[in-house]
Amino acid sequence: MELLLDLFLPLSLAVIMLSLGLGLTLGDFGRVVRLPRAFIAGAIAQVILLPLVAFGLLMIVPLPPELALGVMILSFCPGGVTSNVLVRFARGALALSITLTAVVSLLAVVTVPVLVAWMAELFVGASTEVDVSNLAVAVFLITTLPVATGVAIRHAAPAFADRVEKPLAMLANIIFVLIVIGAVAAGAGTLLGNLATLGPLLIALNVAMLAIGLAVGWVSGLTRPERIAIALEAGVQNAALGITLGGLLADASGALPGFTLPSAIYGITMYLVVAPFLWWARRGVSQTSPVPAG
């Protein structure tokens, strides 16, 4: 277990984030200025509304403290490569999706450690002590640095980036599946005891954020593809990051299953929820004109 927490999970996530970075260019970050309304709407849905909805659901459906903290950790995670792939499949605004994923992933080095420490104090108290500085360094090393490295490689050697991007993305997908399977297997007992409440809560969170993402885009007067992108960015989180963060906390507490299970289960249930959304999105993708805010 110690080898899993200290080495495999962080290195695996770093590979996943490097894969994300290889698909980014410096221009993706410039869209924050060129598309301020769409970016702000997406950031509000993902960074502010998602944690608030998760917290509200936990007030309605109480979970054991470790699982509740795991749900909040998941809500703090940015989108990942998966959200970009799904936006592309749904024929949403891929450029907006990539920009949101890139910027929010880089901001995670600041937002995630502080918010996780706050929620750890609220849900589990002194039983899990979170060192914000150490967690910030860990998040930087396993998320921000690999993403920045991928962007730098894309900028300096685009031909090389093109050659390795697809194989690395495939490897990242395989690693993600292994991480989810490993976390579920490690917490099988806890999962069976709480699946009746944890599963529906995660599905409700997923459905709620897809709907809220669409609503935020509609109120902001964005095009249908932009609304689809925001919905998927808000509704599809980086479950691998959630599992890894839970593992980092568990390193001190020895409670891997509780902290990581929500992200592991979400890594499975999100595809069940997103599938009908993708079908709906592809059906009406031709409606691309801005919708009045009402």
Side-chain angles (χ1 to χ4, degrees):
M1 183 66 72
E2 185 176 350
L3 183 63
L4 172 69
L5 296 177
D6 294 342
L7 184 62
F8 182 74
L9 279 178
L11 284 179
S12 298
L13 181 62
V15 172
I16 292 172
M17 300 309 290
L18 176 62
S19 170
L20 170 63
L22 283 173
L24 302 175
T25 66
L26 295 177
D28 293 324
F29 298 91
R31 292 194 192 94
V32 175
V33 177
R34 298 196 300 274
L35 302 170
R37 184 174 56 174
F39 174 79
I40 291 172
I44 288 174
Q46 189 171 13
V47 179
I48 299 176
L49 297 182
L50 172 57
L52 288 177
V53 172
F55 188 83
L57 287 173
L58 288 172
M59 296 300 101
I60 298 171
V61 184
L63 290 175
E66 292 81 7
L67 291 178
L69 176 57
V71 171
M72 292 309 301
I73 289 173
L74 172 66
S75 75
F76 299 144
C77 293
V81 181
T82 302
S83 65
N84 301 154
V85 172
L86 293 176
V87 168
R88 184 197 301 269
F89 182 79
R91 297 172 185 168
L94 181 59
L96 173 60
S97 173
I98 291 173
T99 300
L100 283 167
T101 297
V103 175
V104 176
S105 293
L106 293 183
L107 289 177
V109 70
V110 176
T111 60
V112 169
V114 173
L115 293 173
V116 168
W118 181 24
M119 289 297 107
E121 177 67 24
L122 180 64
F123 283 106
V124 297
S127 63
T128 300
E129 185 175 340
V130 178
D131 187 318
V132 175
S133 299
N134 287 343
L135 189 57
V137 170
V139 172
F140 172 78
L141 292 176
I142 62 180
T143 62
T144 307
L145 183 59
V147 170
T149 300
V151 174
I153 293 173
R154 165 67 60 185
H155 181 71
F160 173 76
D162 286 337
R163 287 198 303 271
V164 301
E165 182 183 0
K166 285 187 178 180
L168 193 61
M170 184 177 298
L171 176 62
N173 289 330
I174 294 172
I175 289 174
F176 170 72
V177 172
L178 293 176
I179 289 175
V180 169
I181 292 174
V184 171
T190 305
L191 171 61
L192 292 176
N194 295 275
L195 186 59
T197 51
L198 180 59
L201 185 146
L202 292 174
I203 290 173
L205 176 62
N206 207 170
V207 171
M209 290 315 303
L210 288 172
I212 288 172
L214 287 175
V216 168
W218 183 81
V219 170
S220 302
L222 302 179
T223 65
R224 180 184 175 90
E226 288 170 334
R227 299 199 303 270
I228 290 171
I230 291 174
L232 287 170
E233 284 296 318
V236 177
Q237 305 313 305
N238 190 338
L241 175 58
I243 295 171
T244 304
L245 289 173
L248 292 174
L249 297 186
D251 194 17
S253 67
L256 174 61
F259 294 131
T260 62
L261 265 182
S263 292
I265 300 305
Y266 181 86
I268 300 171
T269 59
M270 69 177 181
Y271 291 105
L272 302 177
V273 175
V274 167
F277 179 87
L278 295 178
W279 174 80
W280 168 83
R282 287 176 65 87
R283 280 192 65 200
V285 74
S286 60
Q287 303 174 25
T288 56
S289 59
V291 175

